[in-house]
């Protein structure tokens, strides 16, 4: 009896979401015309037919997944048959397709901070990491469930109005693939407080270098942790914490002519690896 062979393209390398995958099936016909065969493809079970092809040639037939998705992961077989009633050859050995996520992660940050004044310029940056950087990305910025901007730019800048506060996230999509990933949330607060205590995303990470900057109309400022005054550079209005340790946790505020609101700073253990290219030195700005 003729044998049937199933092969996979690409032969090597990781298969990512959006990749083109081709399964080729051919009858080693030993003189029998391959063009006479019908080909059937199965996934995960020989009861689950995912494709049938009658457009065969002497080189067999193919089943192409034009844009691989995670749901295409599984074991595949093919079988050839012909005639009426059909004469079916034994199915091939299984070939496994493993589809991996295209995006390593998406992260949104706010500059100068998540706490801003009305009239101040706010920039949201959407940073996406992919396993294949050849894809062009489209970005969507979402506030409270509503898309406020869709563009090819990884930043979104606005002049803040009172109604611009709320929860924001971004989405990065591989153009033409329909594959996207969603970022974390940032909570934007519009305040009228005279002195603002602005912080990086919390919790902080042990080992990071942190610089606190306090700006106000006065020429100097003081920093407090748990109501205890800290030594700082009063001429530049900055407080550096380098490196961050667990005992840096506490309630922080700065003082110019007025006190800022207090912010609870927490510290987490240093992860084994970081998924995002975030700067290791944070600038925490206190503005009036």
């Amino acid at each position: 009896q003729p044998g049937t062979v199933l092969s996979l393209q690409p032969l090597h390398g990781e298969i990512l979401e959006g990749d083109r995958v081709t399964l080729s099936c051919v009858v080693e016909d030993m003189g029998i015309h391959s063009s006479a065969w019908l080909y059937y493809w199965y996934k995960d079970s020989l009861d689950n037919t995912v494709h049938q092809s009658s457009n065969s040639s002497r080189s067999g037939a193919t089943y192409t997944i034009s844009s691989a998705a995670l749901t295409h992961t599984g074991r595949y077989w093919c079988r050839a048959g012909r005639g009426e009633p059909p004469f079916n050859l034994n199915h091939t050995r299984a070939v496994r397709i493993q589809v991996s996520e295209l995006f390593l992660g998406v992260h949104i940050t706010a500059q100068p901070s998540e706490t801003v004044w009305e009239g101040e310029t706010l920039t949201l940056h959407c940073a996406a990491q992919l396993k294949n950087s050849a894809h062009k990305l489209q970005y969507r910025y979402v506030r409270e469930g509503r898309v406020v901007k869709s563009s090819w730019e990884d930043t979104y800048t606005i002049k803040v109005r009172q109604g611009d506060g709320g929860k924001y996230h971004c989405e990065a999509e591989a153009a033409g693939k329909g594959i996207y990933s969603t970022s974390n949330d940032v909570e934007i607060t519009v305040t009228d407080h005279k002195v603002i205590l602005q912080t990086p995303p919390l919790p902080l990470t042990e080992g990071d270098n942190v610089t606190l900057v306090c700006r106000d109309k006065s020429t100097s400022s003081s920093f407090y942790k748990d109501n205890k005054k800290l030594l700082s550079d009063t001429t530049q209005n900055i407080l550096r914490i380098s490196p961050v340790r667990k005992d840096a946790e506490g309630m922080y505020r700065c003082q110019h002519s007025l006190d800022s609101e207090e912010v609870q700073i927490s510290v987490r253990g240093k992860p084994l690896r970081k998924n995002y290219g975030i700067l290791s030195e944070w600038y925490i700005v206190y503005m009036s």
Side-chain angles (χ1 to χ4, degrees):
Q1 186 180 17
T4 313
V5 177
L6 177 63
S7 60
L8 172 67
Q9 290 288 340
L11 289 174
H12 307 289
E14 189 175 17
I15 297 174
L16 301 177
E17 290 177 293
D19 284 352
R20 183 182 181 89
V21 179
T22 298
L23 291 165
S24 299
C25 194
V26 62
V27 173
E28 295 179 328
D29 54 19
M30 296 177 295
I32 302 174
H33 294 296
S34 294
S35 58
W37 298 96
L38 296 177
Y39 290 86
Y40 308 87
W41 281 263
Y42 307 88
K43 178 178 180 288
D44 295 330
S45 166
L46 293 175
D47 296 325
N48 180 28
T49 305
V50 293
H51 186 66
Q52 175 181 335
S53 176
S54 59
N55 299 322
S56 59
S57 66
R58 292 193 63 85
S59 60
T62 59
Y63 166 43
T64 298
I65 302 170
S66 59
S67 181
L70 298 179
T71 54
H72 287 121
T73 293
R75 300 173 70 213
Y76 290 80
W77 299 266
C78 79
R79 187 200 300 268
R82 65 178 182 177
E84 189 63 42
F87 166 69
N88 293 324
L89 299 180
N90 293 332
H91 59 77
T92 63
R93 291 183 177 181
V95 169
R96 179 166 181 80
I97 293 177
Q98 180 67 51
V99 183
S100 300
E101 291 184 353
L102 173 64
F103 286 89
L104 291 169
V106 179
H107 193 75
I108 190 171
T109 54
Q111 292 292 335
S113 174
E114 296 176 19
T115 302
V116 290
W117 291 288
E118 186 174 6
E120 190 174 13
T121 297
L122 171 69
T123 298
L124 299 177
H125 178 236
C126 190
Q129 281 191 323
L130 295 83
K131 290 184 178 179
N132 181 354
S133 59
H135 292 280
K136 187 175 182 181
L137 296 180
Q138 185 173 21
Y139 300 90
R140 289 184 292 273
Y141 297 86
V142 181
R143 175 186 174 273
E144 301 291 350
R146 184 176 66 88
V147 177
V148 293
K149 184 181 180 182
S150 180
S151 74
W152 301 105
E153 299 177 359
D154 61 1
T155 58
Y156 169 48
T157 300
I158 61 172
K159 189 170 184 180
V160 176
R161 298 174 298 178
Q162 190 61 45
D164 288 329
K167 189 175 293 185
Y168 288 76
H169 72 265
C170 67
E171 299 170 354
E173 180 176 347
K177 297 294 184 179
I179 302 165
Y180 69 94
S181 185
T182 301
S183 75
N184 57 301
D185 291 327
V186 292
E187 186 79 31
I188 300 301
T189 301
V190 182
T191 184
D192 57 1
H193 202 277
K194 295 294 184 181
V195 181
I196 297 177
L197 180 60
Q198 298 183 348
T199 69
L202 298 174
L204 303 180
T205 301
E206 284 187 283
D208 281 352
N209 298 321
V210 176
T211 300
L212 309 184
V213 181
C214 196
R215 294 192 298 163
D216 192 52
K217 293 179 181 179
S218 61
T219 58
S220 63
S221 60
S222 300
F223 291 85
Y224 294 82
K225 173 179 178 282
D226 299 329
N227 287 323
K228 294 180 180 179
K229 190 173 182 178
L230 302 172
L231 294 177
S232 61
D233 187 336
T234 58
T235 60
Q236 297 186 44
N237 299 330
I238 62 175
L239 171 66
R240 290 189 173 92
I241 306 175
S242 176
V244 171
R245 295 193 300 266
K246 192 66 176 176
D247 60 7
E249 290 186 325
M251 299 297 295
Y252 285 76
R253 62 184 171 88
C254 72
Q255 185 184 68
H256 283 301
S257 54
L258 296 170
D259 281 350
S260 72
E261 295 177 320
E262 284 192 314
V263 169
Q264 174 74 51
I265 289 182
S266 55
V267 178
R268 63 186 171 192
K270 192 170 185 177
L272 295 177
R273 58 177 294 184
K274 294 184 179 180
N275 289 330
Y276 309 108
I278 303 174
L279 293 177
S280 61
E281 182 163 347
W282 291 103
Y283 289 87
I284 307 179
V285 184
Y286 305 75
M287 304 175 65
S288 63

